[in-house]
Amino acid sequence: MDLTTLSHLELPPTADFHCHLRQDEMMEFVTPYIAKGGVDAVFVMPNLQPPITQVQQAVSQHQALSKLAPNVKFLMSLFLHASLNADVIAEAVRSGVVYGVKLYPAGVTTNSQNGVLDIEQYYPVFEAMQKHDLVLNLHGETPGVSVLGAETTFVTHTLPLLHTKFPDLRIVLEHVSTREGIDAVRRCGPKVVATITAHHLWATTEDAEQDSHSFCKPIAKTPADRTALLKAALDGSAKFFFGSDSAPHHVQSKEQASGAAGCFTQGWCTSLVIGAIENGIRQGWISKNDVTYEALEGFLSGYGRAFYRLSGMNSEDSRKPRIRLEKRGEMIPASIKSKDGKIEVVPFRRGQEIMSLSWID
């Protein structure tokens, strides 16, 4: 499929298996952008203040989000913390809204100061998760290692260790950003998969250094890593699927001397993925022959739904609404603001052309 010559494209709705919706006023502001991005299901991150460590917290947030966007399926998660035990895992499964537990190594990203210092401490929790078939979601960076080497160290040591210790535990390496990460996931069995973001399909370390709104954790890596991610997204293996890692921050916190990590892509995430693949073809990083409708549908929707076992949400269901992307010269806005002006967020790739997206009933 040659995306460079297509004027439009129709797909099933995208499923976003890694997003940050924050809390309070910011949550109310950004949640409506889920549908704008062509998404009807999201896996919500738990690193709030305080973090979501109790099932009732997750249930309450699920209720609040569902009121803001009733047509979206919200999959909640718990923050891996010393308060979690086998009973909490069983309760999480019974809740019907908690689909995973997120492991944040301490201090590696936003609101992770209460994260994990000793992974072995949580082996009983992982055993319970394996028993109850609850997903373990990994922020795959090793603390104390340079930002460019933290993921490689994690996937070389921690990921294979966990997979060996708990071979039946479903594991997601979130926002994989390196060739080494991709290769590590491929070496593991079918229980281990990875999400890929839109911004990692576009950006490199140089972009993050030059533009605070392209700075994220894990930081974007080399051009070769970016090409490897593009190829993985299209390989049809079902080992890699979409997770935006969309992370809104107030503009002031992004543009200060030590800017917050995170790229806001929610309202344009599907179009950003398609645009990155088209750009890869134009640049010669990938071939148009690498791109098929089945690969796009699988990466953006089908593979993730199957991994999380979302019954009744098959991306191929002809009765579901679909999304249409068209080249109309639309531009990503310089910023978006709340009605009262208290919140301003700058999107990733602001000012750049993007395919317009609409819903088809």
Side-chain angles (χ1 to χ4, degrees), residues 5-28:
T5 61
L6 285 183
S7 61
H8 67 276
L9 180 66
E10 290 187 11
L11 291 166
T14 295
D16 180 356
F17 287 99
H18 184 128
C19 78
H20 298 268
L21 298 173
R22 306 305 189 205
Q23 60 204 100
D24 304 326
E25 291 180 341
M26 180 65 85
M27 182 181 79
E28 294 177 3

PDB file of all heavy atoms in Angstrom, residues 5-28:
ATOM      1  N   THR A   5       0.316   8.159  -2.061  1.00  0.00           N
ATOM      2  CA  THR A   5      -0.603   8.508  -3.150  1.00  0.00           C
ATOM      3  C   THR A   5      -2.067   8.399  -2.754  1.00  0.00           C
ATOM      4  O   THR A   5      -2.932   8.786  -3.532  1.00  0.00           O
ATOM      5  CB  THR A   5      -0.350   7.592  -4.369  1.00  0.00           C
ATOM      6  OG1 THR A   5      -0.591   6.227  -4.001  1.00  0.00           O
ATOM      7  CG2 THR A   5       1.088   7.734  -4.869  1.00  0.00           C
ATOM      8  N   LEU A   6      -2.337   7.882  -1.573  1.00  0.00           N
ATOM      9  CA  LEU A   6      -3.724   7.739  -1.132  1.00  0.00           C
ATOM     10  C   LEU A   6      -4.278   9.075  -0.638  1.00  0.00           C
ATOM     11  O   LEU A   6      -3.621   9.791   0.110  1.00  0.00           O
ATOM     12  CB  LEU A   6      -3.826   6.717   0.004  1.00  0.00           C
ATOM     13  CG  LEU A   6      -3.702   5.236  -0.354  1.00  0.00           C
ATOM     14  CD1 LEU A   6      -3.896   4.390   0.894  1.00  0.00           C
ATOM     15  CD2 LEU A   6      -4.726   4.837  -1.410  1.00  0.00           C
ATOM     16  N   SER A   7      -5.506   9.382  -1.053  1.00  0.00           N
ATOM     17  CA  SER A   7      -6.144  10.615  -0.569  1.00  0.00           C
ATOM     18  C   SER A   7      -6.944  10.376   0.696  1.00  0.00           C
ATOM     19  O   SER A   7      -7.198  11.300   1.469  1.00  0.00           O
ATOM     20  CB  SER A   7      -7.058  11.182  -1.653  1.00  0.00           C
ATOM     21  OG  SER A   7      -8.100  10.248  -1.979  1.00  0.00           O
ATOM     22  N   HIS A   8      -7.354   9.121   0.908  1.00  0.00           N
ATOM     23  CA  HIS A   8      -8.133   8.807   2.100  1.00  0.00           C
ATOM     24  C   HIS A   8      -7.949   7.343   2.466  1.00  0.00           C
ATOM     25  O   HIS A   8      -7.463   6.535   1.658  1.00  0.00           O
ATOM     26  CB  HIS A   8      -9.616   9.125   1.898  1.00  0.00           C
ATOM     27  CG  HIS A   8     -10.281   8.236   0.894  1.00  0.00           C
ATOM     28  ND1 HIS A   8     -10.240   8.474  -0.460  1.00  0.00           N
ATOM     29  CD2 HIS A   8     -11.005   7.084   1.058  1.00  0.00           C
ATOM     30  CE1 HIS A   8     -10.913   7.535  -1.091  1.00  0.00           C
ATOM     31  NE2 HIS A   8     -11.379   6.681  -0.206  1.00  0.00           N
ATOM     32  N   LEU A   9      -8.353   7.003   3.686  1.00  0.00           N
ATOM     33  CA  LEU A   9      -8.193   5.657   4.200  1.00  0.00           C
ATOM     34  C   LEU A   9      -9.262   5.415   5.250  1.00  0.00           C
ATOM     35  O   LEU A   9      -9.526   6.280   6.080  1.00  0.00           O
ATOM     36  CB  LEU A   9      -6.802   5.515   4.833  1.00  0.00           C
ATOM     37  CG  LEU A   9      -6.405   4.174   5.442  1.00  0.00           C
ATOM     38  CD1 LEU A   9      -6.302   3.101   4.360  1.00  0.00           C
ATOM     39  CD2 LEU A   9      -5.061   4.311   6.167  1.00  0.00           C
ATOM     40  N   GLU A  10      -9.907   4.247   5.206  1.00  0.00           N
ATOM     41  CA  GLU A  10     -10.890   3.872   6.217  1.00  0.00           C
ATOM     42  C   GLU A  10     -10.366   2.699   7.027  1.00  0.00           C
ATOM     43  O   GLU A  10      -9.813   1.747   6.473  1.00  0.00           O
ATOM     44  CB  GLU A  10     -12.232   3.511   5.569  1.00  0.00           C
ATOM     45  CG  GLU A  10     -12.959   4.708   4.981  1.00  0.00           C
ATOM     46  CD  GLU A  10     -14.353   4.370   4.492  1.00  0.00           C
ATOM     47  OE1 GLU A  10     -14.835   3.248   4.811  1.00  0.00           O
ATOM     48  OE2 GLU A  10     -14.969   5.199   3.804  1.00  0.00           O
ATOM     49  N   LEU A  11     -10.557   2.790   8.353  1.00  0.00           N
ATOM     50  CA  LEU A  11     -10.057   1.776   9.268  1.00  0.00           C
ATOM     51  C   LEU A  11     -11.056   1.547  10.397  1.00  0.00           C
ATOM     52  O   LEU A  11     -11.914   2.394  10.651  1.00  0.00           O
ATOM     53  CB  LEU A  11      -8.723   2.225   9.879  1.00  0.00           C
ATOM     54  CG  LEU A  11      -7.498   2.303   8.973  1.00  0.00           C
ATOM     55  CD1 LEU A  11      -6.385   3.075   9.670  1.00  0.00           C
ATOM     56  CD2 LEU A  11      -7.015   0.900   8.604  1.00  0.00           C
ATOM     57  N   PRO A  12     -10.932   0.429  11.116  1.00  0.00           N
ATOM     58  CA  PRO A  12     -11.694   0.295  12.367  1.00  0.00           C
ATOM     59  C   PRO A  12     -11.179   1.326  13.374  1.00  0.00           C
ATOM     60  O   PRO A  12     -10.072   1.859  13.222  1.00  0.00           O
ATOM     61  CB  PRO A  12     -11.367  -1.129  12.832  1.00  0.00           C
ATOM     62  CG  PRO A  12     -10.759  -1.808  11.658  1.00  0.00           C
ATOM     63  CD  PRO A  12     -10.109  -0.757  10.831  1.00  0.00           C
ATOM     64  N   PRO A  13     -11.935   1.614  14.415  1.00  0.00           N
ATOM     65  CA  PRO A  13     -11.440   2.532  15.436  1.00  0.00           C
ATOM     66  C   PRO A  13     -10.128   2.044  16.039  1.00  0.00           C
ATOM     67  O   PRO A  13      -9.896   0.839  16.178  1.00  0.00           O
ATOM     68  CB  PRO A  13     -12.551   2.531  16.488  1.00  0.00           C
ATOM     69  CG  PRO A  13     -13.773   2.102  15.752  1.00  0.00           C
ATOM     70  CD  PRO A  13     -13.295   1.141  14.709  1.00  0.00           C
ATOM     71  N   THR A  14      -9.291   2.989  16.377  1.00  0.00           N
ATOM     72  CA  THR A  14      -8.014   2.669  17.013  1.00  0.00           C
ATOM     73  C   THR A  14      -8.242   2.318  18.482  1.00  0.00           C
ATOM     74  O   THR A  14      -9.152   2.845  19.126  1.00  0.00           O
ATOM     75  CB  THR A  14      -7.071   3.875  16.896  1.00  0.00           C
ATOM     76  OG1 THR A  14      -6.763   4.084  15.506  1.00  0.00           O
ATOM     77  CG2 THR A  14      -5.784   3.674  17.663  1.00  0.00           C
ATOM     78  N   ALA A  15      -7.421   1.414  19.000  1.00  0.00           N
ATOM     79  CA  ALA A  15      -7.388   1.110  20.431  1.00  0.00           C
ATOM     80  C   ALA A  15      -6.031   1.561  20.962  1.00  0.00           C
ATOM     81  O   ALA A  15      -4.997   1.158  20.435  1.00  0.00           O
ATOM     82  CB  ALA A  15      -7.594  -0.384  20.668  1.00  0.00           C
ATOM     83  N   ASP A  16      -6.048   2.397  21.975  1.00  0.00           N
ATOM     84  CA  ASP A  16      -4.824   2.993  22.530  1.00  0.00           C
ATOM     85  C   ASP A  16      -4.514   2.294  23.859  1.00  0.00           C
ATOM     86  O   ASP A  16      -5.178   2.547  24.860  1.00  0.00           O
ATOM     87  CB  ASP A  16      -5.035   4.496  22.728  1.00  0.00           C
ATOM     88  CG  ASP A  16      -3.819   5.191  23.310  1.00  0.00           C
ATOM     89  OD1 ASP A  16      -2.832   4.506  23.630  1.00  0.00           O
ATOM     90  OD2 ASP A  16      -3.863   6.427  23.453  1.00  0.00           O
ATOM     91  N   PHE A  17      -3.476   1.466  23.856  1.00  0.00           N
ATOM     92  CA  PHE A  17      -3.198   0.658  25.036  1.00  0.00           C
ATOM     93  C   PHE A  17      -2.118   1.237  25.937  1.00  0.00           C
ATOM     94  O   PHE A  17      -1.427   0.494  26.650  1.00  0.00           O
ATOM     95  CB  PHE A  17      -2.873  -0.780  24.612  1.00  0.00           C
ATOM     96  CG  PHE A  17      -4.100  -1.506  24.153  1.00  0.00           C
ATOM     97  CD1 PHE A  17      -4.388  -1.638  22.807  1.00  0.00           C
ATOM     98  CD2 PHE A  17      -5.003  -1.999  25.078  1.00  0.00           C
ATOM     99  CE1 PHE A  17      -5.543  -2.283  22.385  1.00  0.00           C
ATOM    100  CE2 PHE A  17      -6.162  -2.646  24.670  1.00  0.00           C
ATOM    101  CZ  PHE A  17      -6.438  -2.788  23.326  1.00  0.00           C
ATOM    102  N   HIS A  18      -2.018   2.563  25.937  1.00  0.00           N
ATOM    103  CA  HIS A  18      -1.148   3.242  26.917  1.00  0.00           C
ATOM    104  C   HIS A  18      -1.398   4.737  26.815  1.00  0.00           C
ATOM    105  O   HIS A  18      -0.885   5.399  25.912  1.00  0.00           O
ATOM    106  CB  HIS A  18       0.328   2.957  26.627  1.00  0.00           C
ATOM    107  CG  HIS A  18       1.263   3.540  27.647  1.00  0.00           C
ATOM    108  ND1 HIS A  18       2.219   2.794  28.284  1.00  0.00           N
ATOM    109  CD2 HIS A  18       1.403   4.801  28.138  1.00  0.00           C
ATOM    110  CE1 HIS A  18       2.899   3.559  29.120  1.00  0.00           C
ATOM    111  NE2 HIS A  18       2.414   4.789  29.037  1.00  0.00           N
ATOM    112  N   CYS A  19      -2.174   5.282  27.733  1.00  0.00           N
ATOM    113  CA  CYS A  19      -2.374   6.732  27.696  1.00  0.00           C
ATOM    114  C   CYS A  19      -2.478   7.305  29.106  1.00  0.00           C
ATOM    115  O   CYS A  19      -2.835   6.604  30.059  1.00  0.00           O
ATOM    116  CB  CYS A  19      -3.582   7.123  26.854  1.00  0.00           C
ATOM    117  SG  CYS A  19      -5.166   6.899  27.649  1.00  0.00           S
ATOM    118  N   HIS A  20      -2.143   8.580  29.207  1.00  0.00           N
ATOM    119  CA  HIS A  20      -2.210   9.318  30.464  1.00  0.00           C
ATOM    120  C   HIS A  20      -3.326  10.351  30.358  1.00  0.00           C
ATOM    121  O   HIS A  20      -3.294  11.219  29.470  1.00  0.00           O
ATOM    122  CB  HIS A  20      -0.882  10.017  30.747  1.00  0.00           C
ATOM    123  CG  HIS A  20       0.267   9.076  30.910  1.00  0.00           C
ATOM    124  ND1 HIS A  20       0.649   8.572  32.135  1.00  0.00           N
ATOM    125  CD2 HIS A  20       1.118   8.535  29.994  1.00  0.00           C
ATOM    126  CE1 HIS A  20       1.687   7.765  31.969  1.00  0.00           C
ATOM    127  NE2 HIS A  20       1.990   7.721  30.686  1.00  0.00           N
ATOM    128  N   LEU A  21      -4.288  10.250  31.227  1.00  0.00           N
ATOM    129  CA  LEU A  21      -5.415  11.188  31.226  1.00  0.00           C
ATOM    130  C   LEU A  21      -5.405  12.102  32.448  1.00  0.00           C
ATOM    131  O   LEU A  21      -6.273  12.947  32.593  1.00  0.00           O
ATOM    132  CB  LEU A  21      -6.737  10.408  31.145  1.00  0.00           C
ATOM    133  CG  LEU A  21      -6.904   9.581  29.867  1.00  0.00           C
ATOM    134  CD1 LEU A  21      -8.149   8.710  29.949  1.00  0.00           C
ATOM    135  CD2 LEU A  21      -6.951  10.473  28.635  1.00  0.00           C
ATOM    136  N   ARG A  22      -4.405  11.909  33.307  1.00  0.00           N
ATOM    137  CA  ARG A  22      -4.217  12.758  34.488  1.00  0.00           C
ATOM    138  C   ARG A  22      -5.438  12.700  35.413  1.00  0.00           C
ATOM    139  O   ARG A  22      -6.125  11.710  35.496  1.00  0.00           O
ATOM    140  CB  ARG A  22      -3.856  14.192  34.069  1.00  0.00           C
ATOM    141  CG  ARG A  22      -2.658  14.303  33.126  1.00  0.00           C
ATOM    142  CD  ARG A  22      -1.432  13.653  33.663  1.00  0.00           C
ATOM    143  NE  ARG A  22      -0.258  13.954  32.830  1.00  0.00           N
ATOM    144  CZ  ARG A  22       0.814  13.191  32.766  1.00  0.00           C
ATOM    145  NH1 ARG A  22       0.866  12.065  33.465  1.00  0.00           N
ATOM    146  NH2 ARG A  22       1.842  13.527  32.001  1.00  0.00           N
ATOM    147  N   GLN A  23      -5.722  13.815  36.074  1.00  0.00           N
ATOM    148  CA  GLN A  23      -6.815  13.852  37.048  1.00  0.00           C
ATOM    149  C   GLN A  23      -7.375  15.267  37.142  1.00  0.00           C
ATOM    150  O   GLN A  23      -6.808  16.218  36.602  1.00  0.00           O
ATOM    151  CB  GLN A  23      -6.307  13.388  38.413  1.00  0.00           C
ATOM    152  CG  GLN A  23      -5.181  14.215  38.988  1.00  0.00           C
ATOM    153  CD  GLN A  23      -4.345  13.455  39.991  1.00  0.00           C
ATOM    154  OE1 GLN A  23      -3.265  12.965  39.660  1.00  0.00           O
ATOM    155  NE2 GLN A  23      -4.829  13.349  41.231  1.00  0.00           N
ATOM    156  N   ASP A  24      -8.527  15.389  37.785  1.00  0.00           N
ATOM    157  CA  ASP A  24      -9.161  16.681  38.056  1.00  0.00           C
ATOM    158  C   ASP A  24      -9.373  17.480  36.765  1.00  0.00           C
ATOM    159  O   ASP A  24      -9.864  16.933  35.785  1.00  0.00           O
ATOM    160  CB  ASP A  24      -8.337  17.470  39.081  1.00  0.00           C
ATOM    161  CG  ASP A  24      -8.131  16.697  40.376  1.00  0.00           C
ATOM    162  OD1 ASP A  24      -9.052  15.952  40.756  1.00  0.00           O
ATOM    163  OD2 ASP A  24      -7.045  16.808  40.995  1.00  0.00           O
ATOM    164  N   GLU A  25      -9.010  18.758  36.756  1.00  0.00           N
ATOM    165  CA  GLU A  25      -9.306  19.625  35.616  1.00  0.00           C
ATOM    166  C   GLU A  25      -8.599  19.177  34.341  1.00  0.00           C
ATOM    167  O   GLU A  25      -9.173  19.261  33.246  1.00  0.00           O
ATOM    168  CB  GLU A  25      -8.917  21.067  35.946  1.00  0.00           C
ATOM    169  CG  GLU A  25      -9.796  21.714  37.012  1.00  0.00           C
ATOM    170  CD  GLU A  25      -9.386  23.137  37.307  1.00  0.00           C
ATOM    171  OE1 GLU A  25      -8.230  23.517  36.986  1.00  0.00           O
ATOM    172  OE2 GLU A  25     -10.214  23.893  37.850  1.00  0.00           O
ATOM    173  N   MET A  26      -7.371  18.713  34.453  1.00  0.00           N
ATOM    174  CA  MET A  26      -6.659  18.255  33.262  1.00  0.00           C
ATOM    175  C   MET A  26      -7.355  17.035  32.664  1.00  0.00           C
ATOM    176  O   MET A  26      -7.509  16.937  31.433  1.00  0.00           O
ATOM    177  CB  MET A  26      -5.203  17.924  33.593  1.00  0.00           C
ATOM    178  CG  MET A  26      -4.390  17.440  32.390  1.00  0.00           C
ATOM    179  SD  MET A  26      -4.168  18.698  31.094  1.00  0.00           S
ATOM    180  CE  MET A  26      -2.719  19.567  31.746  1.00  0.00           C
ATOM    181  N   MET A  27      -7.819  16.108  33.487  1.00  0.00           N
ATOM    182  CA  MET A  27      -8.526  14.938  32.994  1.00  0.00           C
ATOM    183  C   MET A  27      -9.806  15.347  32.268  1.00  0.00           C
ATOM    184  O   MET A  27     -10.119  14.824  31.187  1.00  0.00           O
ATOM    185  CB  MET A  27      -8.859  13.996  34.150  1.00  0.00           C
ATOM    186  CG  MET A  27      -9.554  12.714  33.727  1.00  0.00           C
ATOM    187  SD  MET A  27      -9.949  11.627  35.130  1.00  0.00           S
ATOM    188  CE  MET A  27     -11.432  12.449  35.777  1.00  0.00           C
ATOM    189  N   GLU A  28     -10.543  16.263  32.840  1.00  0.00           N
ATOM    190  CA  GLU A  28     -11.776  16.728  32.206  1.00  0.00           C
ATOM    191  C   GLU A  28     -11.494  17.405  30.871  1.00  0.00           C
ATOM    192  O   GLU A  28     -12.296  17.306  29.934  1.00  0.00           O
ATOM    193  CB  GLU A  28     -12.501  17.686  33.143  1.00  0.00           C
ATOM    194  CG  GLU A  28     -13.014  17.015  34.414  1.00  0.00           C
ATOM    195  CD  GLU A  28     -13.674  17.997  35.366  1.00  0.00           C
ATOM    196  OE1 GLU A  28     -13.787  19.186  35.000  1.00  0.00           O
ATOM    197  OE2 GLU A  28     -14.075  17.579  36.474  1.00  0.00           O
TER     198      GLU A  28
END
